[in-house]
Amino acid sequence: MRNPERIQPLLDKIAKLWKENPDFRLGQLIMTITMTGEHNPKLFYIEDDDFLKLLEERSKQLSKKE
């Protein structure tokens, strides 16, 4: 099992960077951080409210698996 203590520092750093660059959508921020050179328009252009809906849906699905 991966160390769960790694999660909060990572989220804190993402939150800080996002607050410093509030015009980014979350997908844009993630793609900018990773700089993979690959183009993923679904991730890059997804609006945050749509991302949140997907997150809520996946959260329900993953909760059912436990």
Side-chain angles (χ1 to χ4, degrees):
M1 174 188 236
R2 294 177 193 243
N3 182 353
E5 296 298 317
R6 77 190 193 289
I7 297 170
Q8 196 58 55
L10 180 62
L11 292 174
D12 291 344
K13 190 67 169 183
I14 290 171
K16 181 181 184 299
L17 185 59
W18 199 3
K19 287 178 183 178
E20 292 171 356
N21 299 277
D23 289 332
F24 279 116
R25 292 180 295 267
L26 179 58
Q28 286 177 301
L29 182 66
I30 291 169
M31 290 188 70
T32 300
I33 292 168
T34 60
M35 296 179 64
T36 63
E38 297 174 22
H39 185 62
N40 184 336
K42 286 185 178 182
L43 178 59
F44 191 82
Y45 292 110
I46 189 169
E47 293 295 336
D48 292 325
D49 56 338
D50 294 330
F51 195 101
L52 182 58
K53 288 175 190 172
L54 288 173
L55 182 60
E56 290 169 351
E57 290 172 17
R58 298 303 179 261
S59 178
K60 288 177 188 174
Q61 290 172 348
L62 291 171
S63 294
K64 290 179 183 177
K65 289 183 179 182
E66 293 179 22

